[in-house]
Amino acid sequence: MTKFSDLDLNPKVLKAIEEAGYETPTPIQAGAIPEALKGRDVLGIAQTGTGKTASFTLPMITALARGRARARMPRSLVLCPTRELAAQVAENFDIYSKHVKLTKALLIGGVSFKEQDALIDKGVDVLIATPGRLLDHFERGKLILSDVKIMVVDEADRMLDMGFIPDIEKIFSLTPFTRQTLFFSATMPSEIERLTNTFLANPAKIEVARQATASETITQGVVMFRASRRDRETEAKEKRDLLRALIEREGEACRNAIIFCNRKVDVDILAKSMKKHGLNAAPIHGDLDQSQRMRTLDGFRDGSVTFLIASDVAARGLDIPNVSHVFNFDVPSHAEDYVHRIGRTGRAGKTGTALTICAKRDEKFLDEIEKLIEGPIPRIESPTGTPEPQADEAEAEEKPKRSRSRRSSSSKGRERTEEPAEPQAEAPKPAAKPESSRDSGRDSNRDNNRDSGRDRGRRGGDRGGNRTVGMGDHLPDFIALSFDERRGGPAASDADETESETENSAA
Ligand code: AMP
């Protein structure tokens, strides 16, 4: 088995690793470090939790220990998709470079430009940044990238999800052609493949097992949730009751937990509700300002916050050891997010528990997750019991059941076409998009508007095609007359245009 001392790392780095308590390199470290130290480009296909951060920071520190940075010209660059991940990478540098004199700066949103500029002006060895913020600094003329010798792209597939690929391409083109590139991604969609083909030179490819197959230290369970009534408020309240009951049932084993919601608005509501019930909870999502997010995370790390209520992006890649539980208040709509979420517990060989609440409408997402992890998640009994369906609901229940049995033998495509049969107000889809679509709130409004526009269009079509459709026999004559006149008369085209304009603006 490879030892750290076999890896040709700087002795001061080896000392820091020993002090961090690491005994042997993880597979991604054993694969990537020797190649990176040779100066080769590296393509690492690995998720968080595999030790990938050290697999690029350790060789970087070793390489950068020689030489000095010039003003405004960083010698290396690490690009991360989120502020939290960037802050975490910076922490890793602090741990591993404690015996080496290296300067670093963290360029992330929510921190004042002035402070960051002052650091860059002095010259930094390592610049850790989110792509947008880095380009802001560059465009303000505060940064020169022509001395970058090593560039790291971390979590490239998440960058793709968040729409950062054009920024990454631009940053690549601003750095010297001769730079060394260390590129990490959990998955390799075609767009990422294209990027690596364009910007990496004959990379050493190191692929480690996906986290989906490496979560044996995590005990999983899912509670099938049914509200006693169908209105949203009752449902939301009962879901919160269920979550608290689950936490209570876990007892002392639940020392702390990250609780995931699909929507930012629910993160806030749930945090407020838990606090009201005397639980030590704090929210974290992309709309909170950076200092608040950092405070909350520090609080969760040091134990002064017990329950971190989080959205996917805010919690993505967070490396907080000793998280005993993860709860999915909502089933994530992207199966991969499930793997990322539950990977916040059971880290570095420790055990953990991940419990998911699954509402009826989310069963399709659960199916996708079980397909991805290639096995069923054990169903566990609800601590609040299963409510009896209400009398008016019992009948409504019958139909979906029938259609479900048809569905089970149908193709996936048909399942999808049946989805709109669910009430629009209850459909979680627009909000269930990852937070990375930063305007998701606006998007969902647009979707709603589009629907109403479509309805309007349909009504308009009826009116144009057959004036009595949908109006019965009691149509007053004067209304019919005015339609006829409008259709046949000179104003007809204007009227039609007005209608389609309304439709477009609604869309
Ligand atoms: P990462 O995949 O970089 O997010 O790392 C996941 C966790 O593993 C972090 O808590 C690291 O501190 C820890 N870690 C990284 N490398 C090692 C190692 N060789 N031995 C033990 N723990 C490690």
Side-chain angles (χ1 to χ4, degrees):
M1 191 191 288
T2 317
K3 293 197 293 274
F4 275 113
S5 53
D6 300 334
L7 293 181
D8 222 7
L9 289 161
N10 181 310
K12 291 178 178 169
V13 174
L14 285 175
K15 189 168 175 225
I17 296 170
E18 204 184 313
E19 285 165 6
Y22 302 172
E23 283 164 10
T24 45
T26 63
I28 186 79
Q29 291 163 1
I33 293 172
E35 299 298 337
L37 285 173
K38 280 186 225 156
R40 272 190 81 178
D41 281 1
V42 169
L43 171 57
I45 304 170
Q47 295 202 338
T48 59
T50 55
K52 71 173 166 58
T53 318
S55 76
F56 61 81
T57 45
L58 301 180
M60 278 175 84
I61 299 166
T62 298
L64 296 168
R66 302 178 290 271
R68 277 182 69 92
R70 284 181 283 170
R72 288 195 283 159
M73 297 174 86
R75 294 200 291 151
S76 68
L77 188 58
V78 182
L79 296 174
C80 301
T82 65
R83 302 162 179 191
E84 280 74 20
L85 197 59
Q88 205 168 283
V89 170
E91 270 173 32
N92 271 263
F93 268 103
D94 287 343
I95 296 168
Y96 307 133
S97 69
K98 67 192 233 201
H99 302 300
V100 182
K101 207 165 173 288
L102 276 190
T103 50
K104 67 165 181 23
L106 183 61
L107 296 193
I108 51 178
V111 178
S112 94
F113 275 97
K114 219 171 135 193
E115 244 172 69
Q116 297 177 330
D117 281 345
L119 275 174
I120 298 170
D121 274 347
K122 277 197 235 156
V124 290
D125 298 305
V126 186
L127 192 59
I128 304 157
T130 48
R133 190 64 166 206
L134 181 93
L135 286 175
D136 284 349
H137 278 270
F138 180 82
E139 275 151 22
R140 290 165 71 247
K142 298 289 182 187
L143 193 59
I144 301 162
L145 296 175
S146 56
D147 200 30
V148 169
K149 300 193 170 53
I150 306 174
M151 173 163 156
V152 176
V153 179
D154 196 11
E155 305 220 347
D157 50 353
R158 187 47 59 141
M159 302 261 200
L160 175 68
D161 285 350
M162 296 175 80
F164 286 154
I165 296 304
D167 286 354
I168 300 289
E169 285 181 294
K170 175 146 193 223
I171 296 167
F172 264 126
S173 68
L174 295 171
T175 58
F177 179 66
T178 50
R179 65 163 193 271
Q180 179 185 12
T181 308
L182 311 176
F183 191 101
F184 291 83
S185 191
T187 55
M188 287 299 286
S190 57
E191 185 67 351
I192 297 294
E193 186 109 38
R194 184 189 63 78
L195 202 66
T196 58
N197 290 340
T198 314
F199 293 104
L200 271 64
N202 184 28
K205 190 170 166 188
I206 294 110
E207 186 164 0
V208 300
R210 293 183 59 199
Q211 210 173 320
T213 57
S215 54
E216 281 118 34
T217 54
I218 305 168
T219 307
Q220 301 173 58
V222 60
V223 182
M224 306 313 285
F225 165 70
R226 288 243 2 244
S228 63
R229 287 214 319 262
R230 284 194 138 197
D231 66 286
R232 271 183 93 70
E233 242 170 68
T234 307
E235 191 183 313
K237 187 190 163 298
E238 289 181 359
K239 214 171 167 192
R240 292 193 295 268
D241 293 344
L242 170 59
L243 174 71
R244 290 196 311 279
L246 279 171
I247 292 171
E248 202 166 305
R249 190 166 73 179
E250 289 298 297
E252 285 188 359
C254 185
R255 294 184 307 275
N256 60 0
I258 303 181
I259 301 166
F260 286 93
C261 299
N262 287 358
R263 307 189 312 161
K264 289 183 257 188
V265 59
D266 291 331
V267 168
D268 283 329
I269 294 171
L270 183 60
K272 230 187 234 169
S273 152
M274 287 182 70
K275 274 193 251 177
K276 224 173 90 187
H277 282 86
L279 294 165
N280 179 3
I284 183 163
H285 58 67
D287 285 352
L288 299 172
D289 76 55
Q290 179 63 9
S291 58
Q292 203 175 343
R293 284 157 70 172
M294 291 297 190
R295 259 201 318 277
T296 303
L297 280 179
D298 287 346
F300 188 64
R301 275 203 181 92
D302 70 24
S304 54
V305 170
T306 313
F307 298 104
L308 186 69
I309 322 295
S311 64
D312 285 292
V313 167
R316 162 96 187 177
L318 285 186
D319 178 24
I320 303 173
N322 300 324
V323 176
S324 76
H325 281 63
V326 163
F327 291 94
N328 290 313
F329 185 70
D330 303 303
V331 181
S333 53
H334 295 285
E336 295 235 324
D337 282 339
Y338 176 81
V339 179
H340 294 140
R341 287 180 180 190
I342 71 166
R344 303 307 98 215
T345 181
R347 288 175 85 74
K350 298 207 174 68
T351 55
T353 304
L355 301 178
T356 299
I357 299 175
C358 180
K360 199 164 191 310
R361 76 171 81 88
D362 293 338
E363 282 172 17
K364 54 188 173 290
F365 300 136
L366 189 63
D367 283 351
E368 293 298 322
I369 291 166
E370 292 182 323
K371 253 182 245 158
L372 176 73
I373 63 174
E374 293 177 350
I377 304 172
R379 273 37 176 183
I380 56 174
E381 210 179 299
S382 168
T384 53
T386 309
E388 288 296 316
Q390 297 250 315
D392 64 331
E393 254 200 337
E395 203 186 331
E397 274 298 298
E398 275 307 298
K399 285 178 200 157
K401 257 186 209 149
R402 273 198 298 273
S403 75
R404 201 174 341 128
S405 62
R406 252 202 336 265
R407 237 190 256 181
S408 59
S409 62
S410 71
S411 72
K412 207 168 150 211
R414 271 188 55 200
E415 259 179 53
R416 296 254 180 259
T417 58
E418 285 183 19
E419 276 173 19
E422 289 186 16
Q424 171 69 29
E426 293 190 0
K429 265 175 287 155
K433 273 187 189 166
E435 198 186 316
S436 49
S437 58
R438 268 171 273 167
D439 294 332
S440 55
R442 238 181 286 149
D443 281 347
S444 66
N445 284 342
R446 216 187 301 144
D447 282 346
N448 290 341
N449 288 343
R450 197 185 296 135
D451 279 349
S452 57
R454 229 184 276 139
D455 283 343
R456 251 200 306 279
R458 228 177 278 142
R459 282 197 295 275
D462 290 343
R463 196 174 61 185
N466 180 345
R467 66 186 162 92
T468 58
V469 169
M471 291 186 174
D473 292 327
H474 307 293
L475 187 73
D477 277 353
F478 72 90
I479 290 183
L481 194 63
S482 76
F483 285 171
D484 277 344
E485 269 180 7
R486 283 173 67 183
R487 200 176 326 130
S493 58
D494 283 350
D496 285 344
E497 257 173 46
T498 312
E499 183 69 23
S500 66
E501 254 173 42
T502 318
E503 222 178 295
N504 287 340
S505 64

